Amino acid sequence: MIPDDALAAAEHAVDLSGTAPARARALAHSVLASDPHCEAVAVAHRALAVAARELGDLPLAEEHLDRAVSVALSAGLPHRAAQARLSLVHVRTELGHPRQALTIADSAEPHLTPVEVARLGVHRAVALTRLGRYAEAVGHCDRAVGFLGDDVRFLAGAVLNRGLARVFLGEFEAAETDLTRCAKLAREAGLDHVLTLAEGNLPFLAARRGDLSAAFTAYHRAESSLSG
């Protein structure tokens, strides 16, 4: 691949990672095999990380993101390093380190575009929810929704995270609206991982609301969709 082609392919792999992680992984590996310039290497490692996260391998995702940050910083590419850190916020949270994730978010934000800051807010909300800071999580998601436009993957994530935070705040009707909207967006966009999370949280919402009959119905529906 020529340099511009390698970078475009790496960026396409990032775009694919949410809906077709196996394809994204193959494309990113082909970029790395072409001996590209540093920017394409950093983006390809980010694509491999997001694909690994979608496939459930969080330690591998973290490894690739650390590599992406290292390559980007060594090449004097602070924006690319910040993009990798944006993805690392979610991974570190899922690995059980939400406070570290928020520190990473703070270091990334100055180097991101407004839309990327909105995406960062979606990941921040996950860490804040883990720390019991539910109102702050809702605020980040509210701001993100206004910037994300037709970015369906992050928009679905924003309403998912806001819905979950609202469950803990006892705002059950608003939470149900968010989780239902998330499931619809994810289903239409082929975002299987996000759809799983939305459908898995609907019975949790019903149980928190005290509607045990609805909770069991929702658990059964979620179990049926998750089988296999």
Side-chain angles (χ1 to χ4, degrees):
M1 295 182 187
I2 62 175
D4 286 346
D5 287 346
L7 181 57
E11 290 176 332
H12 184 50
V14 174
D15 292 338
L16 280 175
S17 58
T19 55
R23 286 173 55 201
R25 183 173 56 188
L27 179 57
H29 278 305
S30 73
V31 170
L32 294 176
S34 70
D35 193 24
H37 54 78
C38 290
E39 186 173 14
V41 170
V43 176
H45 276 291
R46 183 180 176 217
L48 288 169
V50 180
R53 186 194 70 197
E54 292 296 318
L55 294 169
D57 193 337
L58 292 172
L60 180 60
E62 183 180 37
E63 180 182 326
H64 280 298
L65 289 170
D66 286 342
R67 176 67 172 158
V69 171
S70 177
V71 170
L73 290 178
S74 67
L77 299 167
H79 180 227
R80 293 302 188 184
Q83 288 178 321
R85 285 174 171 149
L86 187 161
S87 299
L88 187 57
V89 170
H90 182 67
V91 171
R92 290 299 290 164
T93 299
E94 292 300 317
L95 285 169
H97 306 286
R99 287 187 175 82
Q100 289 181 14
L102 292 176
T103 300
I104 293 168
D106 290 342
S107 70
E109 183 170 352
H111 305 286
L112 297 173
T113 68
V115 171
E116 289 170 338
V117 170
R119 295 170 180 167
L120 181 66
V122 175
H123 290 331
R124 267 193 173 120
V126 181
L128 290 166
T129 298
R130 294 289 177 89
L131 293 169
R133 294 160 62 179
Y134 307 123
E136 290 178 70
V138 169
H140 277 286
C141 292
D142 284 343
R143 289 188 289 275
V145 167
F147 277 94
L148 291 171
D150 60 356
D151 185 344
V152 177
R153 183 170 66 173
F154 276 90
L155 182 59
V159 293
L160 170 68
N161 296 341
R162 186 172 65 184
L164 183 57
R166 283 173 163 168
V167 173
F168 286 109
L169 289 169
E171 300 172 1
F172 299 129
E173 289 186 12
E176 184 173 15
T177 297
D178 277 340
L179 293 175
T180 302
R181 181 184 178 192
C182 174
K184 182 176 185 293
L185 288 168
R187 187 178 295 108
E188 291 175 350
L191 299 169
D192 294 339
H193 177 65
V194 178
L195 176 60
T196 296
L197 293 173
E199 291 188 335
N201 277 304
L202 282 167
F204 171 64
L205 162 63
R208 292 280 293 199
R209 184 185 262 165
D211 190 343
L212 297 183
S213 176
F216 279 114
T217 299
Y219 275 124
H220 178 71
R221 184 168 57 249
E223 184 179 27
S224 297
S225 68
L226 293 174
S227 61

